[in-house]
Amino acid sequence: MASFRLRPRAMFHFALICVILLLSNLPVMANMYHRPNIVLILTDDLDVSIGGMIPLNKTRKLIGDAGITFPNTFVASPLCCPSRASILTGKYPHNHHVINNTLEGNCSSQSWQKTQEPATFPALLQKYGYYQTFFAGKYLNEYGNKEAGGVDHVPSGWDYWFALEKNSKYYNYTLSVNGKAQRHGQNYSEDYLTDVLANISIEFLQYKSNYRPFFMMVSTPAPHSPWTAAPQYEGQFPNVKAPRDPSFNIHGKDKHWLIRQAKTPMANSSVEFLDNAYRKRWRTLLSVDDLVEKVVKKLEVRGELANTYVIFTSDNGYHTGQFSLPLDKRQLYEFDIRVPLLVRGPNIKPNQTSPLLVANIDLGPTILDMAGYNANKTQMDGMSFLPIMIGKGNSSTWRTDVLVEYEGEGHNVSDPACPILGPGVSECFPDCVCEDSYNNTYACVRTLSQAANLQYCEFDDNEVFVEVYNLTADPFQLTNIAKTIDQEVLERMNHRLMMLQSCSGQSCRTPGVYDSRFKFQPRLMFDNLSPHRSRWRQMLK
């Protein structure tokens, strides 16, 4: 076989070209190498208003005390799949079109996969930021549905994929491991999901490439039902009860009909059930606390913690007995829409608290900003709060309102246990208190500034019901002031709500200019009904 040799002059030219190429790429390589790593830890149904963060001592110390806490963080929708879609896309539900936890509601549907997944922030990090990307845990509630590709489907943007099939579980589940089904049983040491996620995460940190920055998202099942604690934590908090705050076990007499139908006082069996659930939720969080500690300590041991942003949050809040609703989310009140947000990382000073209004649609733009990518190039509705965290932002120009929207679910036949309520309700408890209905469909503008702390909501129902709360005077939202508030304030908030419900991208981030000729017309907001709601209206006539 003939050998191939370079002549001396050719060898010199070849070597010179290699050196030139190497030198020309050094700035790019150096820039890429020094980009920060990013870790996002997402919990499931973790409230902040009724004590959800209390058991998470390690998390508060290792992330909150070491960085910044945002006590005024809200979700775009108080339900798992729409909220997670908002986190991934940086969009409000009316722009990503995920309306509930079902495949028909666009949760991990083929339409979602084609239209939204390629534009999620992990896909942009991988494509333009040269990040290696890792996911472990719950993705979207209908992920793995055979009608939408099953567990073979690995969404755009992920190099390493360990995703739970469908909804939260702790044992007896299936993971998609880079598109291959991996089944788990009920052996604690091998199968307890929160610990499995911790171990997979640590393994990734140990064996990943050290020449590219990484983004890691760990999405725990806790504290979502079925609230299965690790064996060593099953006896913890034996005397803890759900907090008896001012809204606990009282009648929401001036609220939407779904809240008014709750029975007050609650049955003793319901109170006992929710107290037990509250304890179980806390117990599952102790394993999340361990996971956070393991991840932070691993980053520290590897010398990577100083160059890593660590973010901790939840997809929505939760309630246990507020306004006599036993257990769930889905409602417009603070306990369901407010979530924890703690961040530590480069140039973030410790022990900070920011009062600014932040939403989960801001996570994507902020993470892209951390990676050096301009989120303004995207169609995201949110905005980066990185400048605020590192002391370079102007809080006086930060937004003062966010949108919260939810589309209710219900069955078109009566619940056999609750025939008196008729068709259209769902999530009903044995004592006939239903947590949702098809016309539990609302949109709210949540306003927070030095001058105002207000919430304004409109319902798509026959009453065109309106709820308004002054949270400065009434932090537990006990009194709906819609009928007594100044008419001009009502008109301004109605105007702003309609603007937010039609916003997209940049227009969601800029304050709307109020037109003094505007008249209070709440029905207009729901004129463009989605096919889902139109179909419901026809069925229930």
Side-chain angles (χ1 to χ4, degrees):
M1 181 181 293
S3 62
F4 177 78
R5 292 184 180 179
L6 289 173
R7 294 178 180 178
R9 183 182 292 273
M11 289 179 64
F12 173 76
H13 287 150
F14 179 76
L16 183 62
I17 290 170
C18 289
V19 170
I20 291 171
L21 287 172
L22 179 63
L23 290 174
S24 66
N25 280 293
L26 275 177
V28 175
M29 294 171 65
N31 183 45
M32 182 177 72
Y33 185 74
H34 289 292
R35 284 177 183 164
N37 307 307
I38 306 164
V39 175
L40 172 60
I41 299 172
L42 178 66
T43 52
D44 197 346
D45 287 1
L46 177 59
D47 66 273
V48 72
S49 294
I50 58 170
M53 288 298 296
I54 293 174
L56 294 163
N57 294 318
K58 299 172 185 175
T59 300
R60 286 185 281 113
K61 178 182 178 181
L62 294 172
I63 304 179
D65 293 352
I68 187 167
T69 299
F70 291 90
N72 294 313
T73 302
F74 295 88
V75 295
S77 187
L79 187 64
C80 299
C81 204
S83 179
R84 288 164 182 266
S86 287
I87 290 171
L88 291 164
T89 63
K91 296 178 181 178
Y92 284 120
H94 70 263
N95 287 327
H96 61 58
H97 308 298
V98 178
I99 60 172
N100 57 43
N101 288 343
T102 68
L103 204 61
E104 295 75 21
N106 204 29
C107 181
S108 203
S109 67
Q110 290 185 346
S111 173
W112 156 268
Q113 294 169 15
K114 292 175 183 177
T115 63
Q116 301 299 324
E117 280 184 346
T120 60
F121 77 81
L124 298 176
L125 285 177
Q126 184 195 58
K127 185 175 182 179
Y128 298 110
Y130 308 104
Y131 273 70
Q132 48 192 325
T133 53
F134 168 93
F135 181 88
K138 177 179 173 179
Y139 178 57
L140 300 173
N141 295 58
E142 283 297 321
Y143 172 75
N145 191 307
K146 292 180 180 178
E147 295 180 24
V151 296
D152 295 348
H153 172 68
V154 177
S156 304
W158 299 102
D159 296 310
Y160 305 92
W161 182 250
F162 300 85
L164 176 68
E165 180 187 38
K166 297 194 175 179
N167 205 358
S168 288
K169 292 183 179 179
Y170 298 82
Y171 293 112
N172 300 309
Y173 56 86
T174 296
L175 288 181
S176 171
V177 179
N178 298 318
K180 302 293 182 183
Q182 183 185 89
R183 291 174 177 81
H184 285 258
Q186 51 188 12
N187 183 323
Y188 167 70
S189 62
E190 297 177 359
D191 302 313
Y192 188 70
L193 183 54
T194 309
D195 289 354
V196 168
L197 299 181
N199 295 336
I200 295 172
S201 301
I202 298 306
E203 194 170 307
F204 167 73
L205 293 175
Q206 180 67 36
Y207 296 108
K208 64 177 175 58
S209 167
N210 293 326
Y211 300 101
R212 292 171 59 198
F214 68 85
F215 169 69
M216 183 168 79
M217 182 172 178
V218 187
S219 182
T220 71
H224 195 286
S225 61
W227 314 306
T228 308
Q232 68 270 30
Y233 296 134
E234 286 178 348
Q236 295 294 308
F237 313 119
N239 301 315
V240 166
K241 294 182 178 181
R244 269 53 171 174
D245 61 26
S247 64
F248 181 84
N249 203 11
I250 69 163
H251 193 256
K253 58 184 181 301
D254 55 6
K255 293 173 170 46
H256 184 234
W257 79 269
L258 184 67
I259 310 301
R260 298 198 303 265
Q261 60 86 35
K263 292 180 173 60
T264 306
M266 290 184 286
N268 290 338
S269 57
S270 291
V271 174
E272 183 179 343
F273 177 76
L274 67 85
D275 278 340
N276 191 38
Y278 192 88
R279 285 189 289 273
K280 289 181 176 180
R281 283 166 53 80
W282 271 25
R283 290 165 184 160
T284 67
L285 288 170
L286 295 177
S287 293
V288 175
D289 218 25
D290 292 341
L291 180 152
V292 170
E293 181 183 45
K294 289 175 184 177
V295 169
V296 171
K297 294 300 183 185
K298 186 65 174 180
L299 290 167
E300 187 174 33
V301 167
R302 290 181 55 82
E304 296 178 308
L305 184 58
N307 192 41
T308 302
Y309 290 102
V310 183
I311 305 165
F312 181 90
T313 190
S314 176
D315 57 1
N316 49 255
Y318 206 71
H319 59 258
T320 52
Q322 282 65 40
F323 301 124
S324 298
L325 298 172
L327 292 168
D328 200 46
K329 46 264 188 172
R330 294 178 171 87
Q331 307 306 329
L332 57 88
Y333 309 104
E334 297 284 284
F335 41 75
D336 285 359
I337 65 173
R338 189 190 289 261
V339 294
L341 177 61
L342 291 65
V343 189
R344 67 172 293 167
N347 301 313
I348 299 178
K349 295 179 181 179
N351 295 306
Q352 291 188 78
T353 300
S354 172
L356 296 182
L357 184 65
V358 175
N360 63 350
I361 59 168
D362 300 328
L363 288 170
T366 301
I367 290 170
L368 290 176
D369 195 8
M370 291 171 173
Y373 185 82
N374 185 357
N376 289 327
K377 295 179 180 179
T378 72
Q379 295 299 310
M380 293 183 175
D381 303 331
M383 53 199 295
S384 171
F385 53 87
L386 177 61
I388 300 296
M389 293 192 290
I390 62 176
K392 293 184 178 180
N394 185 352
S395 60
S396 64
T397 60
W398 187 255
R399 73 144 81 83
T400 59
D401 54 35
V402 293
L403 175 69
V404 179
E405 47 192 353
Y406 177 70
E407 186 161 321
E409 294 181 70
H411 307 295
N412 63 345
V413 294
S414 297
D415 188 314
C418 309
I420 193 171
L421 294 176
V425 295
S426 64
E427 307 298 323
C428 297
F429 279 75
D431 53 356
C432 203
V433 174
C434 299
E435 295 275 5
D436 205 7
S437 66
Y438 85 98
N439 67 355
N440 183 40
T441 294
Y442 57 81
C444 306
V445 57
R446 182 67 175 86
T447 299
L448 183 62
S449 67
Q450 290 185 338
N453 186 5
L454 298 170
Q455 185 182 30
Y456 172 91
C457 303
E458 296 177 14
F459 282 85
D460 181 26
D461 61 7
N462 293 334
E463 296 179 85
V464 197
F465 200 77
V466 175
E467 293 189 30
V468 184
Y469 298 97
N470 177 356
L471 284 102
T472 300
D474 180 21
F476 294 96
Q477 297 166 290
L478 303 177
T479 304
N480 177 9
I481 59 173
K483 294 180 180 179
T484 59
I485 195 170
D486 184 83
Q487 184 69 15
E488 183 182 347
V489 175
L490 210 58
E491 288 177 354
R492 284 179 179 271
M493 298 194 77
N494 172 232
H495 181 263
R496 181 57 177 153
L497 182 55
M498 284 199 286
M499 292 187 70
L500 281 172
Q501 270 232 305
S502 60
C503 77
S504 179
Q506 179 66 29
S507 63
C508 298
R509 305 191 290 269
T510 53
V513 179
Y514 174 66
D515 185 343
S516 60
R517 296 169 297 177
F518 182 81
K519 299 302 178 185
F520 180 59
Q521 296 174 296
R523 169 57 69 191
L524 290 180
M525 193 183 67
F526 295 108
D527 277 354
N528 298 319
L529 291 177
S530 70
H532 174 76
R533 288 208 299 267
S534 299
R535 189 166 60 249
W536 258 113
R537 282 190 163 184
Q538 291 300 318
M539 286 192 296
L540 295 172
K541 278 185 177 179

